[in-house]
Amino acid sequence: MTASLYFSAAVRVGGDISLTRLLPLDALHKPLAPHDNFSQRVLLSLHALGVIEPELSFAHAEDWLRARDWMHYGFESIAWRIRWAPKNCLRQHEEVKELLKDIELSEEVLQALLALWEDLAQAEVAQYARWSLAKSGYNPEWTNLATDVLRRALEGFSVNQVMYLIYLAMRNVATTHQQGGSDAARLGRVFADSIANYAQRAHAERWTVRGMTRPAELPMSTLALIFAHEVTRLDDEYLTLRPSMDSLLAAMTRHRTVH
C-alpha cells in the first residue's frame, strides 16, 4: 500500500511527456515531498522495489554498466526510468487509486497510515521551521536541533498549531538575540527549547492554540496531497487535526458512509 502511494505520487509529479521517465529532483515543478531527504527515501524505496531505475547520462554509462556506485552523482542530477509502465503511467495511477479506494481498514493498515501521517506532519512543520529561520536571517539548519521536539509537539497538536508554536519560538529567538542573552552559536538551542517550552505550557495550561495559515511560499508536497485527498480523505483537516488513529478512522469511515 505504501509503495503504491509512493508510485502514484512520483508519477504524478515527475513524469515527462512520454510518461516513461521521472525527471531529476531539481527539474521538478512541484515538490515530491516536504524535504529533500524524504524525496530521496521515496526514490530509494521505488528503486528497491524495482519500479524505477537510475538513468545516467552517456558520459556515465560505463559506470552504470559496471555497476559502480551511482549515488555520488547526486539525486538532483539523475533521471529515473519507470520500469512498470513503459507506455502509459496514467493507467497505473488509476489502478492505484482504485486499489486505495477499497482498502480494508484493518488495524495493521491503520497503523501504517498513521505512521505515514506522523512522518508527513513532522516534515511539514520542519519545513515551516526552516522557512521561518531563513526568512528571519537565521540558520535554517537549527531545525535539526528541534526534530525530536517537533515530533513530541505533534502528539498533542495539529500541524497548523505546531506552526504557531514555532512562530512564538521565533519571536523568543529574536528577542534573545537582540538583548544579547545568548551568543549566536547557542541560538539554535534557544529555538528548540522554546518550542518544547511552549508545547508543554500549552498542554499543561490548556491553551487554545490557534493554527497558522500555511504560507503561499510553502506548497504542500504532492505526496502529502495524495495522502490527504485520495488515500485518507482527511482533505482540509489534514493540517488542522492532530495525527491520531481516531481522526484517521473517522475521516475514512465518514467518506465511505457518504459514498
Side-chain angles (χ1 to χ4, degrees), residues 36-259:
D36 292 340
N37 291 337
F38 203 112
S39 298
Q40 293 174 9
R41 290 205 302 272
V42 171
L43 293 175
L44 285 174
S45 297
L46 290 168
H47 180 231
L49 291 165
V51 179
I52 60 176
E53 62 183 11
E55 184 182 76
L56 303 182
S57 66
F58 288 118
H60 304 311
E62 184 179 354
D63 284 351
W64 174 241
L65 291 174
R66 295 178 181 274
R68 294 175 182 164
D69 183 16
W70 52 267
M71 293 184 65
H72 70 276
Y73 295 117
F75 285 89
E76 295 76 15
S77 60
I78 294 179
W80 298 81
R81 177 65 58 185
I82 301 173
R83 301 176 60 189
W84 276 13
K87 293 184 179 179
N88 189 352
C89 288
L90 290 179
R91 176 182 59 81
Q92 196 79 15
H93 178 252
E94 293 302 318
E95 291 176 357
V96 168
K97 286 180 63 176
E98 191 67 22
L99 170 67
L100 295 173
K101 182 181 69 173
D102 298 323
I103 189 172
E104 291 294 332
L105 298 183
S106 66
E107 181 73 17
E108 183 180 0
V109 166
L110 288 172
Q111 287 289 353
L113 288 174
L114 178 59
L116 187 55
W117 187 6
E118 290 171 345
D119 286 345
L120 287 170
Q122 183 175 6
E124 298 281 357
V125 295
Q127 183 193 36
Y128 178 75
R130 289 178 179 277
W131 177 82
S132 299
L133 287 165
K135 186 178 180 181
S136 300
Y138 296 112
N139 185 356
E141 296 304 315
W142 290 349
T143 302
N144 297 335
L145 299 174
T147 299
D148 293 337
V149 169
L150 294 174
R151 189 85 176 189
R152 289 195 296 271
L154 286 166
E155 295 175 0
F157 301 98
S158 69
V159 169
N160 284 358
Q161 289 174 319
V162 174
M163 286 167 57
Y164 181 67
L165 299 179
I166 293 171
Y167 166 76
L168 294 178
M170 281 301 309
R171 293 200 312 181
N172 194 32
V173 169
T175 301
T176 302
H177 189 199
Q178 291 172 357
Q179 294 176 348
S182 181
D183 58 79
R186 290 186 53 81
L187 285 177
R189 178 50 56 189
V190 172
F191 177 66
D193 291 345
S194 295
I195 297 174
N197 180 54
Y198 284 125
Q200 292 170 0
R201 287 184 56 193
H203 179 74
E205 300 172 13
R206 299 180 182 274
W207 290 3
T208 300
V209 181
R210 68 187 182 103
M212 292 287 289
T213 302
R214 188 180 181 86
E217 302 95 312
L218 295 178
M220 284 178 61
S221 70
T222 298
L223 186 60
L225 287 171
I226 291 177
F227 179 82
H229 298 292
E230 294 183 15
V231 180
T232 62
R233 304 295 180 174
L234 284 161
D235 296 327
D236 294 337
E237 294 179 330
Y238 165 73
L239 295 174
T240 62
L241 292 175
R242 174 182 65 86
S244 70
M245 185 72 76
D246 290 342
S247 297
L248 188 61
L249 182 59
M252 299 184 73
T253 304
R254 179 176 65 242
H255 172 75
R256 294 183 178 205
T257 302
V258 172
H259 293 79

